[in-house]
Structures are given as structure tokens and as C-alpha cells.
């Protein structure tokens, strides 16, 4: 597979239907172009069998089979963020060329947008009738359902600028170094499944990654009976070196063209292909300088876009960036890492022999769980910081995590990290997922994830998965999907992460698993 260690992030927007009971993570379905401020937690993150290879959860490529990195909470609002009608980022008038220069599929007539540089006529968008929009072509209103699936609070996104500004709300965080595909349905341009994947560092892999992503999106939509009628494409990456935003856009053009070609080959024309870089956006399909200037259009200041206003009205706050969420689970810096690794070496010599013998295992498990319980009480006695909203989310995270790291000694961390490698111990630790136990447990699992350093980095799979589980159980789906993706990047076959990832991506209700864990706890007394 192209990216055996990079989970594909898929967000599956679902419509309430006769055979789908509302799940804890389900929100109203967003229509392309309309944002539902109340539906920020709708997406799910999962691992795509196609794009993630062994990381897949064995389910639909977009929902449970892909790594959805990108749905933040329930913002259907966000989900609507991507609806425009620019169609291709192609090369010829008749075909789109892939990154390798091979001719692609014929330009879909419904695209309504000619490839860059082609004068052609602007055709009507098949997203539905509407007033004239940017680029001189009809701009169909993209709609997202209002709160609780109602139709009252709809936000129409009519331009590439509004689509670009809406992307973080669609995913629930600011995507870094990412490709995002969003399925579009029906005449109103309703948003459906969403998939995110880290941009492959090897450019020769771009065409294959594009084929996998397009296949994942199609399979995810088809699995829910919502085959996408069209697609929105985003490529997001900061400039490398001194190239600048426009240079990044040109460098990423072959990737965008490969995605356009791969989607078109599956009968899903691309209505808009956007590059977001250095605080600006570019359309690969729009040649109108007033709408999409050559030097890019500036993204709206945070909190000022149409979708941001609708989200604020609905009480939804945009989270951190993908990089910031990922950093909370990453290893400590070099100086601290060396001390922690030595502590892990000592704990291995002491604890592992007990865990590997039938006689020593029960006592070792009780020791580990007893220590974890004491640490959770210690974290609970040091409440999490509040009022950090005035600064950036990343700064707030760093401050909180530094405080949490100071609560945990190297020796304590080492014992817990090694003890959680035992499945029964990990499963009992997963019972701390609600009520007053959840928040201190989440902080502890994150802190342990950061202590898995050096040769012990792969030991982070257990605490990272536990952090994802508690985050999901508490309603923070974006953080949960990021955690499950990180766990599967370390160990694509870790079954606990695969199952949770798949369930979260499908929009399953975590209450089902909570009931099982409560029963398990009750039976044990």
C-alpha cells in the first residue's frame, strides 16, 4: 500500500433514516454549501483499507476502513464547508492529466468548470439552481442541515473562498499537511463522507494515493447508500523552504490533478479543487482573477467567516490544528527521553518476568492498576487549566501537558507503560471512561503516551488508544480519531485501536461499549 503507516481520515456524514438510529456521534447531515453550526461532532475517523493498508479497520474505506482524521465534533456546519462548483484541475480541454503526465478521464460535463487555462464556456453546475456565483457560473447553494436535523439554520457557501474558510469546521480542526476529499450529494449539494490523508512525501506515490482515496470515498458512500454525486478536493500544506504559498500550490498541482482524475474515473466529478497554504487559498479550476486571484485569496481572519459566525451562534468552538492534537501524544524531547528510557529499562527487568508467568501475573496486574488509580486521583486533585481560550489552543495544550508531565515520575510512568502492554490490564483501565474518572484518566493516558520514547516508542499504542477511547466516550471525536490514527500508525494490527477506530468512523454510539465495560466492572465486584 502507498501509506501503510498513515491512516486515512474519513468523516462519514449520515442522514437520519429508518435503519439508522441516532448515534452518539451522529449529527445532522450537511449539505454541500450549508453549514450546520450545531453539528460539529459528526465526522468519524477510521482507517481505510485501501489507503492505509494494514492500518485498516477492515471496514468501509471511508468510514470504518479509513482513518478519519478530520471530523471535529459535530459541526455539520463544518461539513458543509466545502461546496463549490469548480470542476477540474486538469491539463487538456478534454482530459485531466495525472501527476505522471498520463491522460486521465474525460472531463465530466457536469463539472461546469474548464481545466485551468482553458477558455471554454461555463456550464451550469449540477449542484442545483441558484443565483450566479463566482467565476461567472451559477453557484448552487450548498446546504447543511440545522440543529437536530432541522432545516432552519442553513448557511449557504457560494464561493471558493467560503469553502476554503469552512474546511476546519468541516473536520473539527485545522488540517496540516493533508489531502481532504468531501463527497457531495444531490441537487442541493449536501455534504456526505469526508476523507483525510497525510500528503505522501514521495511525489511518485501521489497517483496511487489519489486512486486509493477516491476508492475509499466511493466505497464509504456506497456502504451507506449515499454514493457521492460529486467531490470537493482540498490539498493543505505550508510552503517548503522559500517557495511561498503560490510555490506550494504549484508543487501540489500534480497531486490535485491526480485526485481529480481518480474521482472522475469513478463517476464523481470534482466540483472544486482548492489548495490552502500560508493563510491563502487557490482554486485549481477557477480562472477568474476577481474570484480567485493568481496570488491566492486571503483566508478570512479566524472567527469571521459565515460558517464561523453560524458555529459560534450554535455554541460550537473550533479546535486546534491536527499538528497540535498529534503533538499531545508524541514523545518527550531528547533530554527528558534519555532519563525515561533508562527508567523503562529498569522497569522491564523487574516487571516483565512477573507479567510473563501465570503465578506472577495477577499480582503484577494489581500493582499496575493500583498505581494507575493513585495517579488518577493525583491528577484529579490538580484540576485541568481553564480559561485557556484566550490564547492559542496549541499554547494551552503545551501548558496543560507540561503540568501533567510534572505530576508523573519516570519510574511511575515506566511501570504503567509496561503494565498496559498486558491486555487484561489495559481492558480494566478502559473502564475509567466516564464521570469524574474520565478527565484525569485522559490526562494520564496522554502523559504516558509522551513517555514512550526511544526503543519503547511502540509501547505508546496502548496508552494512545486508551486516550482515544476516553476522548470518544466524552464526545471529543476529533481528538479520538487523531489518537486512533496515531496508534495504528505505530501498530497497524493493534486490534483494540482497529475496532475503536472502525466504530468511531461509522458513527457508532460509544454507549454500547460503555455498557459492556460497566457490566465487566460490575461482575468483577
Amino acid at each position: 500500500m502507498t501509506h501503510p503507516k498513515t491512516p486515512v481520515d474519513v468523516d462519514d456524514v449520515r442522514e437520519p433514516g429508518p435503519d439508522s438510529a441516532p448515534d452518539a456521534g451522529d449529527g445532522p447531515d450537511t449539505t454541500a454549501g450549508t453549514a450546520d453550526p450545531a453539528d460539529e461532532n459528526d465526522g468519524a475517523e477510521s482507517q481505510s483499507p485501501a489507503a492505509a493498508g494494514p492500518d485498516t479497520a477492515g471496514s468501509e474505506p471511508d468510514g470504518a476502513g479509513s482513518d478519519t482524521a478530520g471530523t471535529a465534533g459535530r459541526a455539520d456546519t463544518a461539513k458543509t464547508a466545502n461546496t463549490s462548483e469548480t470542476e477540474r484541475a486538469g491539463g487538456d480541454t478534454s482530459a485531466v492529466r495525472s501527476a505522471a503526465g498520463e491522460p486521465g478521464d474525460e472531463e465530466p460535463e457536469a463539472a461546469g468548470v474548464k481545466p485551468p487555462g482553458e477558455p471554454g464556456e461555463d456550464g451550469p453546475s449540477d449542484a442545483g439552481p441558484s443565483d450566479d456565483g463566482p467565476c461567472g457560473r451559477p453557484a448552487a447553494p450548498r446546504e447543511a442541515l440545522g440543529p437536530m436535523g432541522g432545516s432552519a439554520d442553513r448557511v449557504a457557501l457560494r464561493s471558493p473562498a467560503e469553502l476554503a474558510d469552512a474546511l476546519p469546521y468541516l473536520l473539527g480542526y485545522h488540517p496540516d499537511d493533508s489531502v481532504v476529499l468531501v463527497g457531495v450529494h444531490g441537487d442541493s449539494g449536501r455534504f456526505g463522507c469526508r476523507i483525510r490523508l497525510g500528503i505522501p512525501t514521495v511525489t511518485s506515490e501521489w497517483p496511487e494515493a489519489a486512486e486509493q482515496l477516491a476508492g475509499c470515498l466511493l466505497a464509504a458512500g456506497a456502504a451507506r447508500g449515499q454514493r457521492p454525486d460529486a467531490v470537493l478536493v482540498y490539498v493543505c500544506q505550508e510552503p517548503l523552504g522559500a517557495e511561498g504559498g503560490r510555490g506550494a500550490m504549484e508543487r501540489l498541482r500534480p497531486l490535485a490533478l491526480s485526485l481529480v482524475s481518480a474521482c472522475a474515473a469513478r463517476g464523481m466529478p470534482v466540483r472544486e479543487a482548492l489548495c490552502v497554504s500560508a493563510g491563502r487559498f487557490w482554486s485549481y479550476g477557477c480562472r477568474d482573477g476577481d474570484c480567485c486571484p493568481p496570488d491566492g485569496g486571503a483566508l478570512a481572519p479566524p472567527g469571521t467567516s459565515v460558517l464561523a459566525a453560524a458555529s459560534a451562534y450554535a455554541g460550537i468552538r473550533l479546535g486546534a490544528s491536527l499538528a497540535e492534537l498529534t503533538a499531545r501524544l508524541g514523545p518527550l524531547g531528547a533530554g527528558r527521553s534519555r532519563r525515561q528510557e533508562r527508567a523503562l529499562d529498569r522497569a522491564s527487568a523487574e516487571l516483565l518476568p512477573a507479567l510473563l508467568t501465570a503465578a506472577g501475573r495477577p499480582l503484577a496486574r494489581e500493582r499496575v492498576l493500583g498505581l494507575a488509580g493513585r495517579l488518577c486521583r493525583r491528577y484529579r486533585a490538580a484540576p485541568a487549566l481553564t480559561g485557556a481560550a484566550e490564547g492559542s489552543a496549541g499554547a494551552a495544550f503545551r501548558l496543560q501537558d507540561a503540568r501533567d508531565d510534572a505530576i508523573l515520575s519516570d519510574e511511575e510512568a515506566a511501570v504503567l507503560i509496561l503494565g498496559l502492554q498486558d491486555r487484561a490490564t489495559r481492558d480494566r483501565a478502559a473502564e475509567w471512561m466516564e464521570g469524574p474518572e474520565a478527565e484525569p484518566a485522559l490526562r494520564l493516558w496522554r502523559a504516558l503516551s509522551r513517555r514512550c520514547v526511544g526503543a519503547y516508542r511502540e509501547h505508546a499504542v496502548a496508552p494512545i488508544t486508551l486516550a482515544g477511547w476516553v476522548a470518544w466516550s466524552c464526545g471529543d471525536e476529533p481528538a479520538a480519531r487523531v489518537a486512533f490514527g496515531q496508534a495504528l500508525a505505530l501498530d497497524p494490527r493493534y486490534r483494540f485501536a482497529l475496532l475503536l477506530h472502525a466504530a468511531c468512523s461509522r458513527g457508532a454510539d460509544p454507549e454500547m461499549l460503555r455498557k459492556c465495560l460497566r457490566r465487566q466492572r460490575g461482575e468483577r465486584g
Side-chain angles (χ1 to χ4, degrees):
M1 311 307 304
T2 300
H3 264 278
K5 294 262 177 156
T6 306
V8 178
D9 297 340
V10 183
D11 268 340
D12 197 358
V13 181
R14 294 161 296 284
E15 287 184 339
D19 39 309
S20 74
D23 291 337
D26 273 343
D29 210 351
T30 6
T31 45
T34 310
D36 172 8
D39 198 25
E40 185 179 2
N41 289 322
D42 202 19
E45 189 166 330
S46 108
Q47 187 125 356
S48 158
D55 294 351
T56 73
S59 46
E60 42 199 284
D62 197 342
S66 290
D67 191 359
T68 26
T71 338
R74 307 201 130 266
D76 249 27
T77 322
K79 299 174 180 182
T80 51
N82 298 338
T83 311
S84 163
E85 15 199 14
T86 318
E87 201 334 342
R88 307 219 67 134
D92 300 341
T93 53
S94 60
V96 176
R97 297 192 175 274
S98 71
E102 295 299 324
D105 296 320
E106 294 295 316
E107 184 93 8
E109 296 179 2
V113 178
K114 292 287 183 179
E118 291 301 323
E121 298 180 357
D122 292 324
S125 162
D126 70 338
S130 79
D131 299 333
D132 285 346
C135 314
R137 59 183 61 81
R142 312 297 196 253
E143 302 177 298
L145 295 180
M148 303 306 294
S151 58
D153 299 321
R154 293 176 180 266
V155 178
L157 306 178
R158 299 175 180 273
S159 70
E162 291 179 344
L163 293 176
D165 290 330
L167 179 59
Y169 294 91
L170 173 64
L171 300 180
Y173 52 75
H174 295 274
D176 309 293
D177 191 26
S178 298
V179 176
V180 180
L181 300 186
V182 181
V184 178
H185 302 269
D187 292 340
S188 64
R190 175 179 54 81
F191 284 148
C193 297
R194 296 167 303 286
I195 290 183
R196 189 206 67 86
L197 176 69
I199 294 177
T201 55
V202 180
T203 57
S204 62
E205 294 180 348
W206 288 358
E208 183 183 356
E211 293 292 332
Q212 292 173 348
L213 282 169
C216 286
L217 183 66
L218 179 61
R224 300 199 61 87
Q226 298 178 350
R227 186 186 190 281
D229 298 311
V231 180
L232 300 172
V233 171
Y234 294 84
V235 289
C236 310
Q237 191 173 70
E238 291 305 296
L240 301 180
E243 69 181 358
R246 185 169 182 177
M249 180 272 292
E250 292 295 348
R251 176 173 51 80
L252 294 169
R253 185 184 292 272
L255 174 57
L257 298 184
S258 294
L259 290 163
V260 168
S261 179
C263 290
R266 291 163 175 79
M268 303 182 297
V270 173
R271 291 189 180 166
E272 182 58 273
L274 295 173
C275 174
V276 179
S277 182
R280 305 185 74 80
F281 74 90
W282 287 262
S283 170
Y284 288 110
C286 175
R287 310 307 292 174
D288 186 328
D290 293 332
C291 171
C292 303
D295 291 331
L299 295 174
T304 62
S305 69
V306 174
L307 197 50
S311 297
Y313 180 78
I316 294 170
R317 291 184 179 179
L318 182 62
S321 69
L322 176 60
E324 290 166 341
L325 291 172
T326 302
R328 307 198 76 180
L329 306 170
L332 298 170
R336 188 71 180 275
S337 291
R338 285 190 289 272
R339 289 192 347 237
Q340 183 63 65
E341 192 166 6
R342 287 195 293 270
L344 283 161
D345 289 339
R346 292 191 295 271
S348 294
E350 177 192 357
L351 186 62
L352 288 185
L355 284 171
L356 294 174
T357 63
R361 198 172 298 129
L363 288 176
R365 286 171 175 166
E366 292 306 318
R367 175 189 173 188
V368 171
L369 290 166
L371 175 58
R374 292 193 298 275
L375 283 167
C376 281
R377 290 191 290 274
R378 199 184 300 171
Y379 277 106
R380 190 175 177 185
L385 296 173
T386 58
E390 288 121 16
S392 72
F397 288 166
R398 288 189 292 273
L399 181 58
Q400 178 65 64
D401 293 345
R403 289 188 56 180
D404 288 346
D405 287 337
I407 293 174
L408 182 66
S409 73
D410 294 338
E411 290 70 24
E412 291 168 331
V415 170
L416 290 184
I417 288 167
L418 293 167
L420 289 174
Q421 306 311 304
D422 175 66
R423 186 178 66 181
T425 305
R426 179 208 65 198
D427 289 350
R428 285 181 60 181
E431 296 170 1
W432 305 332
M433 77 290 185
E434 59 187 343
E437 294 179 325
E439 190 254 2
L442 177 58
R443 291 162 59 194
L444 174 60
W445 306 145
R446 283 175 175 156
L448 291 177
S449 300
R450 296 189 289 271
R451 298 300 188 94
C452 296
V453 296
Y456 295 89
R457 185 56 195 154
E458 290 190 359
H459 285 57
V461 176
I464 288 177
T465 304
L466 286 171
W469 158 237
V470 178
W472 183 34
S473 178
C474 294
D476 189 352
E477 291 184 13
R481 287 189 299 273
V482 170
F484 297 146
Q486 289 300 301
L488 291 171
L490 289 170
D491 183 354
R493 301 183 184 279
Y494 193 65
R495 187 163 180 78
F496 188 40
L498 284 169
L499 294 174
L500 290 173
H501 192 245
C504 183
S505 295
R506 288 196 179 102
D509 189 344
E511 177 60 17
M512 298 174 66
L513 180 53
R514 284 195 294 258
K515 287 179 179 177
C516 293
L517 291 173
R518 288 188 208 111
R519 183 169 59 251
Q520 169 182 292
R521 195 174 193 174
E523 290 172 350
R524 195 174 56 251

